[in-house]
Amino acid sequence: QDDLDFVQSISAGYSVQKDAEEAVKCRERGNSSFKTRDYTAAALHYSQGICFAPQSSEQLSLCYANRSAALYHLQHYQESLDDIDKALKNGYPSHLSQKLEDRRTQCLKHLFVCQKVKEDHHNPASKNHRSPDRVKKSVGPLMFGICPQAAVGFNLEKGRHLVATERITAGEVILNDRPYSCVLIPGMEEVKGKGGRQDTERALLFGVEHRRCHRCLTETLCPVPCEGCSYSRYCSTSCQRDAWEEHHCWECPLGADLMVMGVMSQLALRVTLKAGLKNIQMARDPIRDKNTKLEPSCRNRESSDSYPCHSNQPDPSTSYSGDSYLSVFHLLHCLNRHSPGLRFLCAVTVATLYLKLSKAGPPPASWVLSRPSEANSQSPDEEGGMTDWSSELWLLGSAVLRHILQLRCNAQAILMLQNTGAANSPVQSSREIRIATAIFPTLSILNHSCCPNTSLVFSTGTSSDLSADLSKSVAEYTSTARGVTATVRAAKVITPGQEILHCYGPHRSRMVTQERQRLLQEQYYFLCQCEACTLQEEEEGAKGRQHLSGAGGSPQESGLLCGKCKGSLKKSSEERGTGFVCSQSSCGHHMSSSEVSQRLQELRVDLDKAVDLMERERPDEALRLLRRTQCQSGLILAETHPLQGELADAMARAYATMGDWNNAASHLERSAVAIGSQYGEDSIELGRQLFKLAQLHFNG
């Protein structure tokens, strides 16, 4: 009870209740953004107001009406019409309704024109457009599972793993997987707009939870709010309904408590609620009644330090798909590896959640079944205040605890690319942000390597390039494709018999061996023995690169140039003291670490100033500063140094903003050289840079 009271005291600061006063504040902030013609921010503020406004209240109708205006200016005419209908349905003041009717008329006119243009464009080729061959080609990319050129293998040393059975070429899709369940990470900034300080201020107000569907993670400016809380929102009424039936009917009254308990606890609960009583009983039966070989193999695996303990022996009943609960249930929980403190914390968290759920009302539909004798035999004595389904609740709690322990080794961060800088820039830079945590049954089969032979990307939403009048089978695939998809592609040629590996986070191009192995041991409980970790010679050079100069390139290079002869600098030996020495024996010039750090810091300051000038739409001044900085950088940095790459990238951006495509492409090519040297020729970082280069050539 003390733990329950403690959670209650903290969750009081995370209220998710409807609040009319807060809705007014959001609407006023939206009005301020609307006046400055920042319609995206206005729509987001109005959406916040819609989520806070009580059902059927005047504030709800006003927020819908105002959002319809912002969406109209963003040329989202159908969404604007939908909001007009919702405003009128929720009691929009009659003396103001003429404004909405006028806006409705304008939206219909625009939609009619757009439809006419589409018909004129498609009519001549209508027969080809509807041909069966075209339909079949569209369906292909939406399929899920493992490609025919790969198969799941198993041995006691590695557990389940993926192996190539045929030659797989670079770029080929190896598997597509959907998460069994996922949870958005609150507070992660994700904003796109005009750029500069305005975007910085907006990022402080909106996180991914404000503009992404809480079920399928699709981006939306006009979310459908939960009717019971102010936090959850969805891209459509269908996602809202599905989430409610699957898990949110229970999560809704516990919203603030779940936010305090953390993403992992909420994800474990969500997995359990989605599975339902019947699936959990089926998954537990082999372990409890048959004492099959699944659990012993789990213990055997845990005696080995060489491979990740994230998956188990294949079960004949297990299918490798995002909807298979059995494949989730039999992922290893590594119970014997977790520290006593962590196990105790997880147990207390679930016990607290158990007490909360016991008072939350009737069970969800997926848990309303006759109580089996096994479940009754495991439940505690019923106490006052417990519902009449306490045995099912006890089973639910034990499953949640199992999944919390599993998630430490099996949770997958969902990363998306976010454009940085101005939205109207002709060439966009991007960065990765973590928007959610999920559990992927098929993806969990892959073992780790610090130098993986695959790349992993995520996509969200529903495929929009399939026509509405396609065959039933295509419509079914379209429906299936809704939500998050993880796609694993070969980053290099993979030969038959070679294991397919991906990176759990620690990568050879970003961390030294000692740091990678420490992180992997702490979270995944294995000592990595991949190709990168066994090449100690390479690591010695990498330590110098990462810690002292931050440079890439081959192990023998620091990315630094000698100030006297322009030869490459290398880390000096102990007898010369800390710092760098020229690799040319005839020169022998020495630079201290402090001198190198100061020179690099000066270049970094100038680069940041130039980027700020571009954000304030002063590319000519930024370009002059970058030219001077580049002259200085050439005295100490080789073309392969990461900072040299950043300077070249910034110059490319400045030239592109001014419409000088040739110079922009030339500098972006220089940037690609540095990135390829830093991350590798088969890295996704280089791929993104080459895509930017393709944009430049296209624009030019």
Side-chain angles (χ1 to χ4, degrees):
Q1 185 61 41
D2 290 342
D3 292 314
L4 201 62
D5 294 339
F6 179 69
V7 169
Q8 194 72 38
S9 65
I10 300 177
S11 62
Y14 293 85
S15 175
V16 294
Q17 302 299 314
K18 298 290 186 181
D19 188 334
E21 291 184 4
E22 193 62 37
V24 173
K25 294 176 183 177
C26 292
R27 185 166 60 84
E28 290 173 350
R29 285 193 289 266
N31 292 342
S32 299
S33 296
F34 191 92
K35 289 175 182 176
T36 62
R37 299 186 179 182
D38 190 352
Y39 301 119
T40 298
L44 290 169
H45 283 302
Y46 294 141
S47 294
Q48 272 292 82
I50 289 167
C51 291
F52 275 112
Q55 288 296 301
S56 303
S57 64
E58 183 181 39
Q59 280 304 319
L60 183 60
S61 69
L62 292 173
C63 287
Y64 271 127
N66 288 13
R67 191 173 74 177
S68 75
L71 293 171
Y72 173 81
H73 284 284
L74 291 168
Q75 300 181 14
H76 297 174
Y77 302 119
Q78 184 58 58
E79 290 82 357
S80 180
L81 282 174
D82 294 341
D83 276 0
I84 290 170
D85 291 339
K86 291 172 183 175
L88 295 172
K89 181 181 177 181
N90 284 280
Y92 189 71
S94 57
H95 66 281
L96 299 174
S97 61
Q98 187 57 47
K99 289 195 301 182
L100 293 188
E101 294 301 335
D102 292 342
R103 189 176 302 137
R104 185 200 299 276
T105 302
Q106 293 300 315
C107 286
L108 290 171
K109 285 181 179 179
H110 284 292
L111 286 174
F112 176 78
V113 171
C114 292
Q115 185 63 32
K116 184 68 175 173
V117 170
K118 286 181 181 178
E119 289 176 358
D120 292 343
H121 178 71
H122 289 295
N123 204 33
S126 59
K127 292 182 180 178
N128 291 335
H129 182 64
R130 297 165 185 257
S131 69
D133 290 341
R134 289 285 181 94
V135 171
K136 289 179 181 177
K137 288 178 182 177
S138 296
V139 173
L142 302 179
M143 300 294 285
F144 292 92
I146 300 169
C147 73
Q149 295 92 333
V152 177
F154 174 82
N155 60 44
L156 290 176
E157 186 182 29
K158 297 183 179 181
R160 289 186 301 176
H161 56 282
L162 202 60
V163 180
T165 56
E166 301 176 25
R167 186 178 187 273
I168 302 175
T169 58
E172 192 170 347
V173 174
I174 297 174
L175 71 84
N176 283 324
D177 196 17
R178 293 167 295 186
Y180 187 79
S181 195
C182 61
V183 173
L184 275 170
I185 302 174
M188 299 302 291
E189 296 175 0
E190 183 192 35
V191 147
K192 289 180 285 188
K194 295 179 179 179
R197 295 176 181 174
Q198 194 175 34
D199 270 358
T200 304
E201 293 169 2
R202 198 187 308 165
L204 299 176
L205 298 172
F206 300 109
V208 294
E209 71 271 24
H210 298 121
R211 60 178 300 156
R212 286 189 179 268
C213 175
H214 285 215
R215 183 173 184 272
C216 72
L217 309 187
T218 302
E219 276 193 284
T220 177
L221 284 176
C222 41
V224 177
C226 170
E227 296 180 359
C229 69
S230 62
Y231 180 69
S232 295
R233 60 206 72 188
Y234 307 94
C235 63
S236 62
T237 53
S238 62
C239 260
Q240 180 199 41
R241 181 184 63 252
D242 292 345
W244 182 263
E245 293 173 354
E246 187 180 276
H247 57 259
H248 194 61
C249 58
W250 254 22
E251 286 185 356
C252 191
L254 304 178
D257 300 320
L258 288 173
M259 291 180 72
V260 169
M261 291 181 185
V263 169
M264 291 301 187
S265 300
Q266 186 174 1
L267 180 55
L269 174 63
R270 194 169 285 187
V271 167
T272 307
L273 291 174
K274 178 179 177 179
L277 180 62
K278 184 177 179 181
N279 280 327
I280 290 177
Q281 287 173 335
M282 288 174 58
R284 286 167 57 92
D285 279 343
I287 296 175
R288 186 172 57 249
D289 300 332
K290 301 175 185 177
N291 194 24
T292 63
K293 59 186 177 181
L294 291 176
E295 291 301 294
S297 74
C298 190
R299 289 191 293 271
N300 290 341
R301 280 282 315 286
E302 290 184 359
S303 66
S304 170
D305 288 332
S306 300
Y307 287 92
C309 44
H310 70 287
S311 58
N312 208 339
Q313 184 166 342
D315 179 10
S317 62
T318 299
S319 65
Y320 301 110
S321 71
D323 290 329
S324 169
Y325 178 68
L326 279 177
S327 56
V328 173
F329 186 87
H330 289 298
L331 293 171
L332 290 186
H333 48 65
C334 299
L335 179 62
N336 295 335
R337 298 296 190 93
H338 297 308
S339 68
L342 178 65
R343 295 200 298 259
F344 179 75
L345 180 62
C346 292
V348 169
T349 300
V350 175
T352 306
L353 189 60
Y354 174 89
L355 290 174
K356 282 282 185 181
L357 292 171
S358 68
K359 302 173 183 178
S366 61
W367 285 79
V368 180
L369 291 172
S370 58
R371 219 171 288 162
S373 58
E374 309 84 289
N376 283 335
S377 66
Q378 293 196 8
S379 62
D381 295 333
E382 294 191 14
E383 300 177 3
M386 295 294 286
T387 65
D388 58 357
W389 60 287
S390 59
S391 58
E392 283 89 345
L393 183 58
W394 181 257
L395 186 61
L396 181 147
S398 66
V400 172
L401 179 56
R402 179 186 183 94
H403 293 316
I404 287 181
L405 294 171
Q406 285 176 325
L407 287 170
R408 180 172 175 86
C409 297
N410 292 280
Q412 172 68 53
I414 295 179
L415 304 172
M416 301 298 293
L417 283 179
Q418 179 190 19
N419 290 336
T420 57
N424 57 356
S425 174
V427 177
Q428 285 287 350
S429 296
S430 59
R431 66 183 178 102
E432 276 189 337
I433 60 166
R434 180 175 180 168
I435 66 167
T437 300
I439 186 163
F440 288 86
T442 311
L443 186 60
S444 294
I445 297 170
L446 271 65
N447 281 326
H448 166 81
S449 172
C450 299
C451 50
N453 51 15
T454 62
S455 65
L456 173 64
V457 293
F458 300 94
S459 58
T460 62
T462 306
S463 176
S464 58
D465 54 356
L466 292 176
S467 302
D469 58 344
L470 296 181
S471 66
K472 181 179 179 182
S473 61
V474 175
E476 289 171 355
Y477 278 121
T478 305
S479 175
T480 303
R482 185 177 198 132
V484 184
T485 301
T487 299
V488 175
R489 292 179 182 270
K492 58 186 74 172
V493 173
I494 303 175
T495 57
Q498 191 175 352
E499 186 176 0
I500 296 167
L501 304 162
H502 89 118
C503 182
Y504 291 2
H507 196 284
R508 65 179 290 187
S509 64
R510 300 177 187 87
M511 294 182 195
V512 297
T513 298
Q514 187 177 4
E515 181 70 4
R516 295 196 310 266
Q517 292 186 331
R518 182 185 65 80
L519 291 173
L520 290 167
Q521 185 72 55
E522 286 178 359
Q523 182 168 353
Y524 299 101
Y525 309 114
F526 73 93
L527 178 65
C528 186
Q529 294 180 346
C530 70
E531 180 183 354
C533 289
T534 55
L535 295 176
Q536 295 299 324
E537 221 177 285
E538 182 176 18
E539 183 52 35
E540 289 175 6
K543 286 181 181 177
R545 293 204 311 274
Q546 298 284 348
H547 290 301
L548 295 174
S549 69
S554 67
Q556 290 76 28
E557 296 175 353
S558 66
L560 300 173
L561 297 180
C562 173
K564 289 181 65 178
C565 70
K566 299 300 180 187
S568 62
L569 293 181
K570 62 181 181 180
K571 184 183 176 184
S572 63
S573 56
E574 288 75 6
E575 62 266 16
R576 293 291 304 271
T578 60
F580 297 87
V581 64
C582 182
S583 58
Q584 302 293 329
S585 57
S586 58
C587 177
H589 181 63
H590 180 269
M591 289 183 71
S592 66
S593 295
S594 59
E595 183 182 359
V596 170
S597 297
Q598 183 180 351
R599 298 281 294 275
L600 293 176
Q601 183 61 31
E602 290 171 354
L603 295 173
R604 170 64 63 185
V605 169
D606 286 343
L607 174 59
D608 291 341
K609 286 180 181 178
V611 170
D612 183 61
L613 286 170
M614 282 190 283
E615 295 290 348
R616 288 186 280 154
E617 300 182 356
R618 293 156 64 181
D620 50 344
E621 295 179 47
L623 192 55
R624 285 196 294 270
L625 178 56
L626 285 169
R627 283 172 180 156
R628 290 199 302 269
T629 307
Q630 192 175 50
C631 290
Q632 293 299 316
S633 70
L635 300 177
I636 187 175
L637 300 183
E639 289 292 312
T640 56
H641 195 283
L643 189 54
Q644 195 76 289
E646 290 183 56
L647 282 168
D649 186 86
M651 292 191 74
R653 180 178 165 189
Y655 277 118
T657 304
M658 299 170 69
D660 189 343
W661 309 112
N662 287 335
N663 269 319
S666 175
H667 283 85
L668 203 59
E669 286 172 358
R670 292 181 58 200
S671 174
V673 170
I675 287 178
S677 177
Q678 183 183 6
Y679 294 107
E681 294 300 321
D682 55 6
S683 64
I684 196 166
E685 288 83 0
L686 179 58
R688 290 176 191 147
Q689 203 70 358
L690 292 174
F691 181 73
K692 285 165 60 177
L693 184 58
Q695 286 181 294
L696 276 180
H697 286 308
F698 178 82
N699 290 334

